[in-house]
Amino acid sequence: MKIVKNPVLRNLLKLAGFICIGLGIAGIPLPGLPTTPFLILAAFCFSKSCETSYNKILNHPKFGPPIKDYLEGKGIPRKIKIIAIVCMWTFLTFSFAKLQQPYLRLILIASGAYGSWFILKEPDAPSKKK
């Protein structure tokens, strides 16, 4: 882990990390707003700005293990991939139906295709049994 020396950039990264945590927490009850990707992004921001916050995210009992798995290159469990893609396309479909502008619909489809590709290209992490 390498902390950024520039204090302005370090504080901006710290702020971005806390914003990502807020969005991740908001994503717990809100379908369509992903939790884990925001927490992974927060972990990245904190890895460059605040070792204490970085360690708190990685050691969280619920969210720490999937973030560690992703950061270590172990991938995403298949069940989570399926849930993420189904939720994403469900909400993209609702948005598509509401939009009338063709260019916005195209952006929506392209974003969904990219998001799906990004999720599917990741290796399947082993599922954790309780």
Side-chain angles (χ1 to χ4, degrees), residues 8-123:
V8 174
L9 182 56
R10 187 172 56 245
N11 286 328
L12 285 173
L13 285 167
K14 213 181 286 189
L15 176 63
F18 285 116
I19 289 170
C20 289
I21 286 177
L23 290 169
I25 290 170
I28 295 170
L30 295 173
L33 187 63
T35 298
T36 306
F38 281 116
L39 295 179
I40 290 170
L41 188 55
F44 171 79
C45 291
F46 289 139
S47 75
K48 306 290 182 198
S49 63
C50 182
E51 187 173 354
T52 305
S53 297
Y54 177 75
N55 289 330
K56 282 183 181 179
I57 288 177
L58 291 185
N59 293 319
H60 188 277
K62 177 77 174 166
F63 300 110
I67 293 169
K68 281 182 192 174
D69 285 348
Y70 182 80
L71 293 176
E72 292 172 359
K74 294 179 184 172
I76 304 168
R78 181 170 289 172
K79 178 181 175 184
I80 301 302
K81 287 182 179 184
I82 293 168
I83 290 169
I85 290 174
V86 167
C87 288
M88 179 174 56
W89 281 102
T90 300
F91 286 95
L92 287 174
T93 301
F94 286 126
S95 298
F96 188 88
K98 295 287 183 184
L99 291 173
Q100 300 303 316
Q101 298 88 346
Y103 67 92
L104 291 177
R105 286 180 162 186
L106 184 62
I107 291 170
L108 204 61
I109 291 170
S111 299
Y114 176 76
S116 297
W117 170 80
F118 185 85
I119 291 168
L120 292 171
K121 79 172 180 60
E122 293 298 317

